[in-house]
Amino acid sequence: MTKQARIIGAPTDYGANRRGVDMGPSAIRYAGLADQLEDAGVSCTDVGDVTAPPAETQDADKRVPEEGNAKFVEEIEAVSHELAEEVEATIAGGATPLVVGGDHSVAIGSLRGAAADADIGTVWFDAHADLNAPSTSPSGNVHGMPLAAALGHRDFAGVDWATAPRLNPENVVWVGLRSVDDQEAADVRDSAGTAFTMSDIDEHGIDEITERAMAIASDGVDGVHVSLDLDWLDPNEAPGVGTPVRGGVTYREAHRAMEIVAEHDREHDSLRSMEAVEVNPILDEHNETAHLATELAASALGKRILGRE
Ligand SMILES: NC(=[NH2+])NCCC[C@H](N)C(=O)O
Ligand SMILES: [Mn+2]
Ligand SMILES: [Mn+2]
């Protein structure tokens, strides 16, 4: 059966400290996302963007953390609500949501939508663990917190929009970590999830690590949300991101990992939803990071060098 994808834009930069990532969805569309997906044999529709007024038009005070050390919480709440509904409706209609960000706080909405009607796991392809909470975050930027929110960290207690109750902590897998804050590292170690760092990729290779990640994330649940933060790649390949960290995966490793996601999905019907986030066109060079995001999404959804098998 032909895979159906629905592109959902989430043009926010509320979760990041560098403005401009809200233009990510435009840049990714301009880079030819829909065409890439059609090439992958995926039939795709673009539903446009969720509502997200630019941060510049918001009260400047909100850029400074008030209580709880998390910036723009109300704005992120509104985006998360709307996005969760889009993602949920997309899955209910039999298609695969492809959320394009936007900073990584959009994952709060994606995860909640993907977990609305099912038990899920997630594979988090990222330099960062994004497991900070308001009380532990060194920055107050919510793009460093989506996993803590989705897993129901006590700092988010009572914040109805944040938690994805059916995201199973044992099915959370990080791939490619190389920049983790001190308290966050302790929280990753104490979590029920599995963390594969860049060192693990060096030691075992991207194939083995991605295969293990998909196996763990999908074990005993209904599907996997694949979260691709473009800063997972080395900044030489993906310069257009707000929090670049040296020593990331190469272009080929990234494609290989996404191909393994697609292979796993073909065999196990495991890919429930996906997002590509943190593309910041202001920091990019000739839109190459946006273009990379389109290529990697296409690989994850089944594109092969010599066409479909
Ligand atoms: N999705 C991202 N790019 N996250 C970066 C987070 C950086 C840092 N750990 C923080 O919490 O502020
Ligand atoms: Mn990151
Ligand atoms: Mn991230």
Side-chain angles (χ1 to χ4, degrees):
M1 203 179 72
T2 315
K3 217 177 182 45
Q4 317 268 340
R6 264 171 114 226
I7 300 168
I8 307 165
T12 83
D13 65 355
Y14 305 130
N17 62 349
R18 314 272 294 264
R19 304 275 75 88
V21 65
D22 56 319
M23 290 180 265
S26 299
I28 291 172
R29 288 190 180 99
Y30 182 78
L33 179 60
D35 288 348
Q36 285 276 355
L37 294 178
E38 298 287 343
D39 279 0
V42 175
S43 99
C44 102
T45 46
D46 188 331
V47 301
D49 291 340
V50 298
T51 319
E56 288 77 8
T57 66
Q58 310 285 317
D59 192 343
D61 294 352
K62 291 186 182 150
R63 292 174 218 172
V64 183
E66 315 160 8
E67 25 164 333
N69 188 35
K71 301 176 203 168
F72 289 117
V73 169
E74 280 163 36
E75 288 72 13
I76 292 169
E77 172 179 2
V79 171
S80 302
H81 258 301
E82 198 181 324
L83 182 56
E85 273 168 23
E86 276 300 344
V87 168
E88 184 182 350
T90 298
I91 295 170
T96 307
L98 175 56
V99 175
V100 291
D103 71 74
H104 219 158
S105 69
V106 305
I108 295 171
S110 309
L111 285 166
R112 201 180 161 94
D117 237 353
D119 298 312
I120 66 161
T122 187
V123 181
W124 205 260
F125 294 99
D126 200 330
H128 309 95
D130 295 344
L131 191 63
N132 279 313
S135 60
T136 61
S137 167
S139 65
N141 296 322
V142 178
H143 74 161
M145 312 183 196
L147 275 174
L151 289 168
H153 189 282
R154 63 186 171 295
D155 288 2
F156 291 92
V159 188
D160 158 60
W161 50 274
T163 309
R166 296 181 73 180
L167 170 64
N168 186 348
E170 272 130 48
N171 297 90
V172 172
V173 187
W174 292 269
V175 175
L177 295 180
R178 60 192 184 278
S179 173
V180 185
D181 302 309
D182 293 346
Q183 181 57 48
E184 193 181 29
D187 292 340
V188 168
R189 286 195 302 273
D190 291 347
S191 82
T194 303
F196 295 116
T197 66
M198 281 311 300
S199 308
D200 294 315
I201 296 175
D202 293 340
E203 188 178 343
H204 301 283
I206 195 69
D207 284 43
E208 183 187 323
I209 294 297
T210 311
E211 277 159 18
R212 283 166 65 186
M214 286 301 289
I216 296 166
S218 63
D219 186 32
V221 292
D222 302 306
V224 175
H225 173 70
V226 167
S227 194
L228 173 64
D229 182 329
L230 269 290
D231 69 32
W232 179 53
L233 285 101
D234 193 272
N236 288 323
E237 325 272 4
V241 297
T243 46
V245 190
R246 286 177 72 175
V249 297
T250 66
Y251 180 82
R252 279 310 314 158
E253 284 173 325
H255 267 290
R256 195 58 205 132
M258 294 303 115
E259 287 174 3
I260 288 165
V261 166
E263 270 164 34
H264 196 275
D265 180 45
R266 256 199 301 277
E267 278 167 37
H268 305 278
D269 194 19
S270 47
L271 180 61
R272 186 166 178 86
S273 49
M274 178 172 179
E275 71 202 341
V277 300
E278 294 284 339
V279 171
N280 187 329
I282 288 180
L283 306 170
D284 206 2
E285 289 166 21
H286 303 289
N287 216 28
E288 68 179 283
T289 308
H291 194 257
L292 188 53
T294 70
E295 292 183 352
L296 294 173
S299 283
L301 290 167
K303 190 173 179 185
R304 285 291 170 279
I305 291 172
L306 296 179
R308 281 195 303 154
E309 280 152 20

